[in-house]
Amino acid sequence: MNLEGFLLKQFRKTRLYRMLTVYQYVALNLPKVITLVGAGLLLGLAGVHIYILVSESALPTWAFAATVAFIVICFVAAVMLTLRPVVWAGWALGVIASIAFVVFYVVSRLAGLPGMPEARTWWDYSPGSLAGACALMYLGLSASIPLGIVIAYPQKRAWHD
């Protein structure tokens, strides 16, 4: 057994692991549904950014380009979730995109953005709140997969009753 396997085995014996996995009393074995929910959250995150592009007329060039790139990344990650050979890369890309959005959103509200001074302290921007909710729910769903609370496509689980 390698060191990583040993550490994982030890972690699974801890109280923290049991609490995070809800003492393994709760588990959802709906792999295709979980995958579709993950893809839906990523598409929701992209959809909010499409709405921002359409509704905001005075975006700086850099913000427009960054938003388009972010939309493309979200779409690519959502499509990758449905392709068997790259499904885990899709989950990882979605996690990276969600973390990047949350960090960028918080930093933009604390420090402002170049060319967009109104973004500073604008916490009650509805599209931003909706996008933040999608990103945080995606991160929570992604974290529940390795904990064994939910099963994602195409992973199988051997149930022990």
Side-chain angles (χ1 to χ4, degrees), residues 123-156:
W123 291 100
D124 61 345
Y125 183 55
S126 298
S129 299
L130 180 59
C134 286
L136 291 174
M137 286 189 288
Y138 183 83
L139 290 173
L141 183 66
S142 299
S144 67
I145 294 168
L147 289 173
I149 297 172
V150 299
I151 309 301
Y153 182 75
Q155 183 182 3
K156 305 287 185 206

PDB file of all heavy atoms in Angstrom, residues 123-156:
ATOM      1  N   TRP A 123     -22.734  44.221  -3.312  1.00  0.00           N
ATOM      2  CA  TRP A 123     -23.001  42.840  -2.926  1.00  0.00           C
ATOM      3  C   TRP A 123     -24.407  42.397  -3.285  1.00  0.00           C
ATOM      4  O   TRP A 123     -24.681  41.209  -3.339  1.00  0.00           O
ATOM      5  CB  TRP A 123     -22.779  42.666  -1.425  1.00  0.00           C
ATOM      6  CG  TRP A 123     -21.357  42.787  -1.034  1.00  0.00           C
ATOM      7  CD1 TRP A 123     -20.758  43.884  -0.502  1.00  0.00           C
ATOM      8  CD2 TRP A 123     -20.334  41.803  -1.170  1.00  0.00           C
ATOM      9  NE1 TRP A 123     -19.427  43.637  -0.288  1.00  0.00           N
ATOM     10  CE2 TRP A 123     -19.137  42.371  -0.688  1.00  0.00           C
ATOM     11  CE3 TRP A 123     -20.302  40.498  -1.656  1.00  0.00           C
ATOM     12  CZ2 TRP A 123     -17.944  41.686  -0.664  1.00  0.00           C
ATOM     13  CZ3 TRP A 123     -19.106  39.812  -1.633  1.00  0.00           C
ATOM     14  CH2 TRP A 123     -17.941  40.401  -1.140  1.00  0.00           C
ATOM     15  N   ASP A 124     -25.319  43.331  -3.502  1.00  0.00           N
ATOM     16  CA  ASP A 124     -26.702  42.956  -3.756  1.00  0.00           C
ATOM     17  C   ASP A 124     -27.042  42.901  -5.247  1.00  0.00           C
ATOM     18  O   ASP A 124     -28.188  43.081  -5.634  1.00  0.00           O
ATOM     19  CB  ASP A 124     -27.654  43.904  -3.032  1.00  0.00           C
ATOM     20  CG  ASP A 124     -27.503  45.348  -3.483  1.00  0.00           C
ATOM     21  OD1 ASP A 124     -26.491  45.663  -4.132  1.00  0.00           O
ATOM     22  OD2 ASP A 124     -28.394  46.156  -3.189  1.00  0.00           O
ATOM     23  N   TYR A 125     -26.083  42.592  -6.074  1.00  0.00           N
ATOM     24  CA  TYR A 125     -26.291  42.439  -7.516  1.00  0.00           C
ATOM     25  C   TYR A 125     -26.872  41.049  -7.748  1.00  0.00           C
ATOM     26  O   TYR A 125     -26.202  40.035  -7.542  1.00  0.00           O
ATOM     27  CB  TYR A 125     -24.954  42.626  -8.237  1.00  0.00           C
ATOM     28  CG  TYR A 125     -25.013  42.562  -9.734  1.00  0.00           C
ATOM     29  CD1 TYR A 125     -25.860  43.390 -10.454  1.00  0.00           C
ATOM     30  CD2 TYR A 125     -24.210  41.685 -10.440  1.00  0.00           C
ATOM     31  CE1 TYR A 125     -25.907  43.348 -11.831  1.00  0.00           C
ATOM     32  CE2 TYR A 125     -24.248  41.632 -11.820  1.00  0.00           C
ATOM     33  CZ  TYR A 125     -25.102  42.466 -12.506  1.00  0.00           C
ATOM     34  OH  TYR A 125     -25.146  42.421 -13.868  1.00  0.00           O
ATOM     35  N   SER A 126     -28.136  40.981  -8.158  1.00  0.00           N
ATOM     36  CA  SER A 126     -28.861  39.708  -8.255  1.00  0.00           C
ATOM     37  C   SER A 126     -28.184  38.666  -9.147  1.00  0.00           C
ATOM     38  O   SER A 126     -28.060  37.503  -8.741  1.00  0.00           O
ATOM     39  CB  SER A 126     -30.289  39.941  -8.729  1.00  0.00           C
ATOM     40  OG  SER A 126     -30.962  40.728  -7.799  1.00  0.00           O
ATOM     41  N   PRO A 127     -27.734  39.012 -10.374  1.00  0.00           N
ATOM     42  CA  PRO A 127     -27.057  37.993 -11.179  1.00  0.00           C
ATOM     43  C   PRO A 127     -25.788  37.459 -10.509  1.00  0.00           C
ATOM     44  O   PRO A 127     -25.486  36.271 -10.606  1.00  0.00           O
ATOM     45  CB  PRO A 127     -26.732  38.720 -12.483  1.00  0.00           C
ATOM     46  CG  PRO A 127     -27.747  39.800 -12.576  1.00  0.00           C
ATOM     47  CD  PRO A 127     -27.980  40.237 -11.163  1.00  0.00           C
ATOM     48  N   GLY A 128     -25.070  38.330  -9.819  1.00  0.00           N
ATOM     49  CA  GLY A 128     -23.874  37.871  -9.113  1.00  0.00           C
ATOM     50  C   GLY A 128     -24.213  36.913  -7.989  1.00  0.00           C
ATOM     51  O   GLY A 128     -23.524  35.915  -7.768  1.00  0.00           O
ATOM     52  N   SER A 129     -25.299  37.203  -7.277  1.00  0.00           N
ATOM     53  CA  SER A 129     -25.730  36.316  -6.196  1.00  0.00           C
ATOM     54  C   SER A 129     -26.184  34.959  -6.737  1.00  0.00           C
ATOM     55  O   SER A 129     -25.869  33.913  -6.160  1.00  0.00           O
ATOM     56  CB  SER A 129     -26.870  36.964  -5.405  1.00  0.00           C
ATOM     57  OG  SER A 129     -26.434  38.168  -4.828  1.00  0.00           O
ATOM     58  N   LEU A 130     -26.910  34.980  -7.857  1.00  0.00           N
ATOM     59  CA  LEU A 130     -27.355  33.725  -8.473  1.00  0.00           C
ATOM     60  C   LEU A 130     -26.168  32.910  -8.978  1.00  0.00           C
ATOM     61  O   LEU A 130     -26.101  31.690  -8.767  1.00  0.00           O
ATOM     62  CB  LEU A 130     -28.328  34.010  -9.613  1.00  0.00           C
ATOM     63  CG  LEU A 130     -28.880  32.802 -10.354  1.00  0.00           C
ATOM     64  CD1 LEU A 130     -29.625  31.874  -9.401  1.00  0.00           C
ATOM     65  CD2 LEU A 130     -29.790  33.253 -11.487  1.00  0.00           C
ATOM     66  N   ALA A 131     -25.217  33.580  -9.622  1.00  0.00           N
ATOM     67  CA  ALA A 131     -24.023  32.882 -10.096  1.00  0.00           C
ATOM     68  C   ALA A 131     -23.223  32.327  -8.922  1.00  0.00           C
ATOM     69  O   ALA A 131     -22.702  31.211  -8.984  1.00  0.00           O
ATOM     70  CB  ALA A 131     -23.158  33.825 -10.941  1.00  0.00           C
ATOM     71  N   GLY A 132     -23.125  33.099  -7.843  1.00  0.00           N
ATOM     72  CA  GLY A 132     -22.428  32.618  -6.650  1.00  0.00           C
ATOM     73  C   GLY A 132     -23.107  31.396  -6.053  1.00  0.00           C
ATOM     74  O   GLY A 132     -22.444  30.453  -5.615  1.00  0.00           O
ATOM     75  N   ALA A 133     -24.434  31.401  -6.046  1.00  0.00           N
ATOM     76  CA  ALA A 133     -25.169  30.235  -5.535  1.00  0.00           C
ATOM     77  C   ALA A 133     -24.900  29.011  -6.399  1.00  0.00           C
ATOM     78  O   ALA A 133     -24.674  27.909  -5.875  1.00  0.00           O
ATOM     79  CB  ALA A 133     -26.661  30.536  -5.488  1.00  0.00           C
ATOM     80  N   CYS A 134     -24.909  29.184  -7.729  1.00  0.00           N
ATOM     81  CA  CYS A 134     -24.615  28.053  -8.628  1.00  0.00           C
ATOM     82  C   CYS A 134     -23.208  27.529  -8.390  1.00  0.00           C
ATOM     83  O   CYS A 134     -22.988  26.312  -8.321  1.00  0.00           O
ATOM     84  CB  CYS A 134     -24.769  28.470 -10.087  1.00  0.00           C
ATOM     85  SG  CYS A 134     -26.470  28.674 -10.621  1.00  0.00           S
ATOM     86  N   ALA A 135     -22.250  28.433  -8.266  1.00  0.00           N
ATOM     87  CA  ALA A 135     -20.855  28.026  -8.060  1.00  0.00           C
ATOM     88  C   ALA A 135     -20.680  27.300  -6.734  1.00  0.00           C
ATOM     89  O   ALA A 135     -20.032  26.249  -6.669  1.00  0.00           O
ATOM     90  CB  ALA A 135     -19.932  29.237  -8.132  1.00  0.00           C
ATOM     91  N   LEU A 136     -21.283  27.825  -5.671  1.00  0.00           N
ATOM     92  CA  LEU A 136     -21.130  27.186  -4.361  1.00  0.00           C
ATOM     93  C   LEU A 136     -21.850  25.839  -4.303  1.00  0.00           C
ATOM     94  O   LEU A 136     -21.342  24.885  -3.694  1.00  0.00           O
ATOM     95  CB  LEU A 136     -21.625  28.119  -3.265  1.00  0.00           C
ATOM     96  CG  LEU A 136     -20.749  29.358  -3.041  1.00  0.00           C
ATOM     97  CD1 LEU A 136     -21.411  30.299  -2.036  1.00  0.00           C
ATOM     98  CD2 LEU A 136     -19.353  28.976  -2.592  1.00  0.00           C
ATOM     99  N   MET A 137     -23.013  25.741  -4.938  1.00  0.00           N
ATOM    100  CA  MET A 137     -23.698  24.447  -4.974  1.00  0.00           C
ATOM    101  C   MET A 137     -22.895  23.434  -5.781  1.00  0.00           C
ATOM    102  O   MET A 137     -22.836  22.255  -5.415  1.00  0.00           O
ATOM    103  CB  MET A 137     -25.111  24.598  -5.543  1.00  0.00           C
ATOM    104  CG  MET A 137     -26.073  25.237  -4.574  1.00  0.00           C
ATOM    105  SD  MET A 137     -27.791  25.185  -5.105  1.00  0.00           S
ATOM    106  CE  MET A 137     -27.799  26.372  -6.423  1.00  0.00           C
ATOM    107  N   TYR A 138     -22.277  23.866  -6.875  1.00  0.00           N
ATOM    108  CA  TYR A 138     -21.441  22.953  -7.662  1.00  0.00           C
ATOM    109  C   TYR A 138     -20.254  22.476  -6.826  1.00  0.00           C
ATOM    110  O   TYR A 138     -19.905  21.294  -6.862  1.00  0.00           O
ATOM    111  CB  TYR A 138     -20.949  23.635  -8.947  1.00  0.00           C
ATOM    112  CG  TYR A 138     -20.139  22.696  -9.801  1.00  0.00           C
ATOM    113  CD1 TYR A 138     -20.767  21.812 -10.666  1.00  0.00           C
ATOM    114  CD2 TYR A 138     -18.754  22.647  -9.715  1.00  0.00           C
ATOM    115  CE1 TYR A 138     -20.039  20.921 -11.429  1.00  0.00           C
ATOM    116  CE2 TYR A 138     -18.023  21.760 -10.476  1.00  0.00           C
ATOM    117  CZ  TYR A 138     -18.669  20.910 -11.332  1.00  0.00           C
ATOM    118  OH  TYR A 138     -17.941  20.012 -12.073  1.00  0.00           O
ATOM    119  N   LEU A 139     -19.634  23.385  -6.073  1.00  0.00           N
ATOM    120  CA  LEU A 139     -18.508  22.986  -5.227  1.00  0.00           C
ATOM    121  C   LEU A 139     -18.957  21.995  -4.155  1.00  0.00           C
ATOM    122  O   LEU A 139     -18.253  21.024  -3.866  1.00  0.00           O
ATOM    123  CB  LEU A 139     -17.857  24.218  -4.591  1.00  0.00           C
ATOM    124  CG  LEU A 139     -17.100  25.125  -5.545  1.00  0.00           C
ATOM    125  CD1 LEU A 139     -16.658  26.402  -4.830  1.00  0.00           C
ATOM    126  CD2 LEU A 139     -15.905  24.399  -6.134  1.00  0.00           C
ATOM    127  N   GLY A 140     -20.123  22.228  -3.574  1.00  0.00           N
ATOM    128  CA  GLY A 140     -20.637  21.292  -2.575  1.00  0.00           C
ATOM    129  C   GLY A 140     -20.939  19.927  -3.169  1.00  0.00           C
ATOM    130  O   GLY A 140     -20.620  18.892  -2.578  1.00  0.00           O
ATOM    131  N   LEU A 141     -21.549  19.919  -4.356  1.00  0.00           N
ATOM    132  CA  LEU A 141     -21.834  18.657  -5.031  1.00  0.00           C
ATOM    133  C   LEU A 141     -20.546  17.927  -5.379  1.00  0.00           C
ATOM    134  O   LEU A 141     -20.432  16.712  -5.174  1.00  0.00           O
ATOM    135  CB  LEU A 141     -22.656  18.914  -6.297  1.00  0.00           C
ATOM    136  CG  LEU A 141     -23.095  17.699  -7.091  1.00  0.00           C
ATOM    137  CD1 LEU A 141     -24.083  16.874  -6.279  1.00  0.00           C
ATOM    138  CD2 LEU A 141     -23.710  18.123  -8.409  1.00  0.00           C
ATOM    139  N   SER A 142     -19.564  18.667  -5.869  1.00  0.00           N
ATOM    140  CA  SER A 142     -18.279  18.052  -6.226  1.00  0.00           C
ATOM    141  C   SER A 142     -17.566  17.493  -5.003  1.00  0.00           C
ATOM    142  O   SER A 142     -16.933  16.443  -5.085  1.00  0.00           O
ATOM    143  CB  SER A 142     -17.380  19.077  -6.916  1.00  0.00           C
ATOM    144  OG  SER A 142     -17.967  19.543  -8.094  1.00  0.00           O
ATOM    145  N   ALA A 143     -17.677  18.183  -3.878  1.00  0.00           N
ATOM    146  CA  ALA A 143     -17.038  17.689  -2.656  1.00  0.00           C
ATOM    147  C   ALA A 143     -17.734  16.447  -2.121  1.00  0.00           C
ATOM    148  O   ALA A 143     -17.101  15.596  -1.493  1.00  0.00           O
ATOM    149  CB  ALA A 143     -17.037  18.785  -1.586  1.00  0.00           C
ATOM    150  N   SER A 144     -19.030  16.309  -2.380  1.00  0.00           N
ATOM    151  CA  SER A 144     -19.756  15.150  -1.861  1.00  0.00           C
ATOM    152  C   SER A 144     -19.453  13.868  -2.634  1.00  0.00           C
ATOM    153  O   SER A 144     -19.724  12.781  -2.138  1.00  0.00           O
ATOM    154  CB  SER A 144     -21.263  15.432  -1.869  1.00  0.00           C
ATOM    155  OG  SER A 144     -21.733  15.533  -3.188  1.00  0.00           O
ATOM    156  N   ILE A 145     -18.870  13.994  -3.825  1.00  0.00           N
ATOM    157  CA  ILE A 145     -18.557  12.788  -4.608  1.00  0.00           C
ATOM    158  C   ILE A 145     -17.425  11.988  -3.975  1.00  0.00           C
ATOM    159  O   ILE A 145     -17.590  10.803  -3.709  1.00  0.00           O
ATOM    160  CB  ILE A 145     -18.267  13.153  -6.082  1.00  0.00           C
ATOM    161  CG1 ILE A 145     -19.535  13.679  -6.727  1.00  0.00           C
ATOM    162  CG2 ILE A 145     -17.745  11.945  -6.848  1.00  0.00           C
ATOM    163  CD1 ILE A 145     -19.317  14.320  -8.073  1.00  0.00           C
ATOM    164  N   PRO A 146     -16.251  12.587  -3.702  1.00  0.00           N
ATOM    165  CA  PRO A 146     -15.202  11.768  -3.081  1.00  0.00           C
ATOM    166  C   PRO A 146     -15.532  11.340  -1.658  1.00  0.00           C
ATOM    167  O   PRO A 146     -14.983  10.356  -1.168  1.00  0.00           O
ATOM    168  CB  PRO A 146     -13.961  12.669  -3.116  1.00  0.00           C
ATOM    169  CG  PRO A 146     -14.440  14.032  -3.367  1.00  0.00           C
ATOM    170  CD  PRO A 146     -15.762  13.925  -4.031  1.00  0.00           C
ATOM    171  N   LEU A 147     -16.440  12.069  -0.991  1.00  0.00           N
ATOM    172  CA  LEU A 147     -16.844  11.654   0.350  1.00  0.00           C
ATOM    173  C   LEU A 147     -17.787  10.464   0.323  1.00  0.00           C
ATOM    174  O   LEU A 147     -18.073   9.863   1.345  1.00  0.00           O
ATOM    175  CB  LEU A 147     -17.507  12.828   1.081  1.00  0.00           C
ATOM    176  CG  LEU A 147     -16.566  13.948   1.489  1.00  0.00           C
ATOM    177  CD1 LEU A 147     -17.363  15.125   2.036  1.00  0.00           C
ATOM    178  CD2 LEU A 147     -15.540  13.460   2.490  1.00  0.00           C
ATOM    179  N   GLY A 148     -18.322  10.137  -0.845  1.00  0.00           N
ATOM    180  CA  GLY A 148     -19.188   8.978  -0.975  1.00  0.00           C
ATOM    181  C   GLY A 148     -20.641   9.257  -0.660  1.00  0.00           C
ATOM    182  O   GLY A 148     -21.443   8.332  -0.556  1.00  0.00           O
ATOM    183  N   ILE A 149     -21.012  10.530  -0.505  1.00  0.00           N
ATOM    184  CA  ILE A 149     -22.407  10.862  -0.226  1.00  0.00           C
ATOM    185  C   ILE A 149     -23.241  10.714  -1.483  1.00  0.00           C
ATOM    186  O   ILE A 149     -24.371  10.246  -1.445  1.00  0.00           O
ATOM    187  CB  ILE A 149     -22.514  12.288   0.352  1.00  0.00           C
ATOM    188  CG1 ILE A 149     -21.777  12.345   1.690  1.00  0.00           C
ATOM    189  CG2 ILE A 149     -23.958  12.702   0.519  1.00  0.00           C
ATOM    190  CD1 ILE A 149     -21.643  13.722   2.254  1.00  0.00           C
ATOM    191  N   VAL A 150     -22.684  11.109  -2.615  1.00  0.00           N
ATOM    192  CA  VAL A 150     -23.366  10.941  -3.898  1.00  0.00           C
ATOM    193  C   VAL A 150     -22.450  10.180  -4.846  1.00  0.00           C
ATOM    194  O   VAL A 150     -21.236  10.182  -4.699  1.00  0.00           O
ATOM    195  CB  VAL A 150     -23.799  12.285  -4.534  1.00  0.00           C
ATOM    196  CG1 VAL A 150     -24.765  13.022  -3.658  1.00  0.00           C
ATOM    197  CG2 VAL A 150     -22.608  13.136  -4.859  1.00  0.00           C
ATOM    198  N   ILE A 151     -23.056   9.541  -5.811  1.00  0.00           N
ATOM    199  CA  ILE A 151     -22.309   8.790  -6.813  1.00  0.00           C
ATOM    200  C   ILE A 151     -22.497   9.503  -8.138  1.00  0.00           C
ATOM    201  O   ILE A 151     -23.621   9.817  -8.520  1.00  0.00           O
ATOM    202  CB  ILE A 151     -22.841   7.345  -6.924  1.00  0.00           C
ATOM    203  CG1 ILE A 151     -22.931   6.690  -5.554  1.00  0.00           C
ATOM    204  CG2 ILE A 151     -22.003   6.520  -7.876  1.00  0.00           C
ATOM    205  CD1 ILE A 151     -21.648   6.622  -4.807  1.00  0.00           C
ATOM    206  N   ALA A 152     -21.399   9.760  -8.831  1.00  0.00           N
ATOM    207  CA  ALA A 152     -21.477  10.460 -10.115  1.00  0.00           C
ATOM    208  C   ALA A 152     -21.129   9.507 -11.247  1.00  0.00           C
ATOM    209  O   ALA A 152     -20.322   8.596 -11.093  1.00  0.00           O
ATOM    210  CB  ALA A 152     -20.535  11.654 -10.133  1.00  0.00           C
ATOM    211  N   TYR A 153     -21.744   9.733 -12.372  1.00  0.00           N
ATOM    212  CA  TYR A 153     -21.548   8.929 -13.579  1.00  0.00           C
ATOM    213  C   TYR A 153     -20.105   8.992 -14.009  1.00  0.00           C
ATOM    214  O   TYR A 153     -19.526  10.053 -13.997  1.00  0.00           O
ATOM    215  CB  TYR A 153     -22.459   9.497 -14.656  1.00  0.00           C
ATOM    216  CG  TYR A 153     -22.438   8.764 -15.961  1.00  0.00           C
ATOM    217  CD1 TYR A 153     -23.066   7.546 -16.096  1.00  0.00           C
ATOM    218  CD2 TYR A 153     -21.801   9.300 -17.059  1.00  0.00           C
ATOM    219  CE1 TYR A 153     -23.065   6.883 -17.294  1.00  0.00           C
ATOM    220  CE2 TYR A 153     -21.793   8.642 -18.262  1.00  0.00           C
ATOM    221  CZ  TYR A 153     -22.420   7.440 -18.375  1.00  0.00           C
ATOM    222  OH  TYR A 153     -22.413   6.780 -19.552  1.00  0.00           O
ATOM    223  N   PRO A 154     -19.436   7.943 -14.382  1.00  0.00           N
ATOM    224  CA  PRO A 154     -19.882   6.569 -14.518  1.00  0.00           C
ATOM    225  C   PRO A 154     -19.460   5.690 -13.344  1.00  0.00           C
ATOM    226  O   PRO A 154     -19.350   4.495 -13.494  1.00  0.00           O
ATOM    227  CB  PRO A 154     -19.165   6.139 -15.787  1.00  0.00           C
ATOM    228  CG  PRO A 154     -17.859   6.841 -15.711  1.00  0.00           C
ATOM    229  CD  PRO A 154     -18.168   8.167 -15.047  1.00  0.00           C
ATOM    230  N   GLN A 155     -19.189   6.270 -12.209  1.00  0.00           N
ATOM    231  CA  GLN A 155     -18.724   5.515 -11.055  1.00  0.00           C
ATOM    232  C   GLN A 155     -19.815   4.571 -10.551  1.00  0.00           C
ATOM    233  O   GLN A 155     -20.987   4.895 -10.553  1.00  0.00           O
ATOM    234  CB  GLN A 155     -18.321   6.487  -9.948  1.00  0.00           C
ATOM    235  CG  GLN A 155     -17.761   5.825  -8.731  1.00  0.00           C
ATOM    236  CD  GLN A 155     -17.431   6.857  -7.658  1.00  0.00           C
ATOM    237  OE1 GLN A 155     -17.678   8.029  -7.825  1.00  0.00           O
ATOM    238  NE2 GLN A 155     -16.886   6.401  -6.572  1.00  0.00           N
ATOM    239  N   LYS A 156     -19.424   3.407 -10.096  1.00  0.00           N
ATOM    240  CA  LYS A 156     -20.346   2.436  -9.497  1.00  0.00           C
ATOM    241  C   LYS A 156     -19.999   2.300  -8.016  1.00  0.00           C
ATOM    242  O   LYS A 156     -18.880   2.558  -7.593  1.00  0.00           O
ATOM    243  CB  LYS A 156     -20.216   1.075 -10.167  1.00  0.00           C
ATOM    244  CG  LYS A 156     -20.403   1.112 -11.669  1.00  0.00           C
ATOM    245  CD  LYS A 156     -21.846   1.325 -12.021  1.00  0.00           C
ATOM    246  CE  LYS A 156     -22.005   1.243 -13.525  1.00  0.00           C
ATOM    247  NZ  LYS A 156     -23.121   1.961 -14.012  1.00  0.00           N
TER     248      LYS A 156
END
